[in-house]
Amino acid sequence: MKADWALLYPDAPAHPKALNGAALLYFDGPLVIPPPPLYERENNRAFVTILETAKTQGRLSLHPLRHLAIIWARSLQGHLDTLDLLEPLKTIGTCEFRVPTYPVRTRDLESSMSGFSIEDISESVNYPTAACQFVHHLVDGAYFDLDQDIDSVLDYCDACLGSEESARLTLAKAFMLRFAAPRSCGFPFNPITNPGCVLLTSAKPPGLRLLPLPMGALDRHAESQQAAAWQVFQHLVAPYMDPLTPERIDFICRLRQSRRGEIERLRAKCLNLAKEIPPEFTAEEVYFRIRTLIRTEMSREIADLLDLDRKSLERFVLDLFSDEKAWLLLSGVIVGLLSDPRSLLTTGSTLITIAFAGSRAVKAS
């Protein structure tokens, strides 16, 4: 990937498990990580005022807003801890921290689910993220739409969150807010089938600019192969990369700085592997083909990247395939990608949306 491109997580990571170490190797561009809503102290004053008013009026103790405030505070602290962990990557230019902008007024909340039903969205909603997005909407949207009248804001919260049904719908809408910009400018992707997605953005212009990609710009079969290659690469290096720890962050930094050639060669091998899998293969046949090719044609690249001697490599490969069910599951995903390119997570480009992020990737799959 060219250096003038970057990867953007749409969700502010509240825990290192929300990130994927393999992605920090597979993609050349910097990883752009947004902060949670109201990250800057001066931007959360209105929220504090709303909470204090609700408390004074005796409306806060049982109000859903109290629970949202707790989730937001925990997410903010978790995000700060995650940034501390990622600091070495920021130092070498692999991570950037920017504030994405997108509309959060009341009209934007109401239109955020355009084209989707609550049934489409509900199972994919990350509710801690949705809670933070609603707080963002409340402070930077509804607060101004209601002329900064605190009582009206609290009444609005009652209407949005007063029942289980209304809260479920409101949080689904809030979850979709940050997808409004790429959808409106022509991004061919569906976040509902891929909630742990990453958006491809331009890193050169100041600020954060989401770039559209025409639906027919890339060959769908080639995209499917790229998606399959990424899945294989991720499974190969995950034992050394995930979950992220300070030691693994340092290891990723060393690889990014001194083994770029080895990263590229393993990445190319994964793509060649994907190209050698016939689209008519079953999951079992894909699994056996992957296992054979990794052992016969990719072991050198794995050893070079991870600095494994012969015995360590043999043990690595043995451990790698010890969980046959996980590889059969992966093989099933690859079968779907290669046999029907339209099933590519219903996206227009693998390079625009890629499901990953530890446990969230499992849910997204």
Side-chain angles (χ1 to χ4, degrees):
M1 187 174 294
K2 296 180 180 179
D4 60 336
W5 292 90
L7 292 168
L8 165 69
Y9 273 86
D11 296 340
H15 192 280
K17 289 183 179 179
L19 302 174
N20 183 303
L24 300 173
L25 291 183
Y26 193 81
F27 302 103
D28 289 337
L31 182 67
V32 180
I33 300 177
L38 313 185
Y39 177 72
E40 300 293 343
R41 184 177 300 275
E42 58 268 22
N43 291 342
N44 64 40
R45 290 175 182 168
F47 188 43
V48 172
T49 301
I50 292 170
L51 294 174
E52 289 177 344
T53 301
K55 183 178 180 180
T56 300
Q57 296 179 359
R59 302 173 65 175
L60 187 61
S61 60
L62 298 178
H63 200 283
L65 187 59
R66 177 176 180 271
H67 301 291
L68 298 188
I70 293 172
I71 292 172
W72 168 75
R74 289 176 178 172
S75 297
L76 178 58
Q77 185 57 55
H79 182 76
L80 294 174
D81 293 342
T82 302
L83 293 190
D84 288 341
L85 177 67
L86 296 175
E87 185 61 31
L89 290 170
K90 182 180 178 182
T91 301
I92 66 171
T94 299
C95 282
E96 298 179 11
F97 308 108
R98 307 185 197 174
V99 181
T101 58
Y102 47 89
V104 294
R105 303 298 285 261
T106 303
R107 62 178 179 273
D108 303 307
L109 183 78
E110 292 305 314
S111 63
S112 66
M113 280 176 48
S114 176
F116 301 103
S117 68
I118 185 62
E119 288 74 21
D120 294 328
I121 295 173
S122 59
E123 292 187 2
S124 297
V125 172
N126 181 307
Y127 281 99
T129 295
C132 291
Q133 293 299 327
F134 182 74
V135 170
H136 184 17
H137 156 69
L138 193 67
V139 174
D140 291 334
Y143 180 65
F144 295 99
D145 291 332
L146 297 170
D147 299 324
Q148 303 181 43
D149 182 81
I150 302 297
D151 289 330
S152 296
V153 171
L154 292 174
D155 291 341
Y156 175 76
C157 288
D158 288 335
C160 290
L161 307 172
S163 69
E164 182 178 347
E165 182 179 357
S166 61
R168 179 168 169 258
L169 178 60
T170 296
L171 291 177
K173 291 178 179 179
F175 180 71
M176 292 295 293
L177 273 170
R178 75 249 198 268
F179 291 115
R183 288 175 62 200
S184 65
C185 70
F187 265 102
F189 85 114
N190 179 350
I192 298 309
T193 58
N194 185 16
C197 76
V198 174
L199 306 180
L200 192 64
T201 75
S202 173
K204 282 188 173 179
L208 190 60
R209 185 165 64 92
L210 300 175
L211 302 180
L213 184 69
M215 285 291 288
L218 297 177
D219 178 78
R220 289 296 181 88
H221 187 61
E223 294 175 44
S224 297
Q225 292 173 340
Q226 290 278 1
W230 154 248
Q231 294 287 347
V232 173
F233 183 95
Q234 178 182 219
H235 275 68
L236 284 177
V237 303
Y240 279 75
M241 307 294 159
D242 298 299
L244 290 174
T245 63
E247 294 75 21
R248 285 175 170 168
I249 290 291
D250 289 341
F251 182 54
I252 291 170
C253 287
R254 292 198 302 272
L255 295 182
R256 292 273 305 193
Q257 291 177 300
S258 63
R259 302 209 173 183
R260 301 304 292 267
E262 288 85 349
I263 295 171
E264 177 57 37
R265 285 193 290 273
L266 181 58
R267 186 165 47 200
K269 282 286 186 176
C270 290
L271 181 57
N272 289 337
L273 182 153
K275 291 179 178 179
E276 291 188 25
I277 298 175
E280 66 273 11
F281 263 24
T282 65
E284 291 77 10
E285 289 172 320
V286 170
Y287 166 62
F288 287 116
R289 176 64 64 89
I290 289 176
R291 189 174 66 176
T292 299
L293 292 176
I294 287 176
R295 286 174 169 168
T296 61
E297 298 185 20
M298 300 174 65
S299 57
R300 179 176 178 179
E301 285 74 17
I302 295 171
D304 288 346
L305 177 61
L306 301 178
D307 196 21
L308 303 176
D309 58 28
R310 183 175 178 178
K311 288 186 177 180
S312 297
L313 177 62
E314 291 175 353
R315 186 165 54 252
F316 172 84
V317 174
L318 184 64
D319 292 341
L320 186 68
F321 290 104
S322 62
D323 189 350
E324 184 173 319
K325 290 183 179 180
W327 280 96
L328 285 172
L329 178 61
L330 169 67
S331 299
V333 172
I334 292 175
V335 166
L337 292 172
L338 298 179
S339 62
D340 182 8
R342 293 173 301 176
S343 70
L344 189 58
L345 305 175
T346 66
T347 69
S349 172
T350 307
L351 297 180
I352 287 190
T353 57
I354 301 169
F356 66 83
S359 59
R360 286 180 57 194
V362 176
K363 295 178 182 177
S365 298

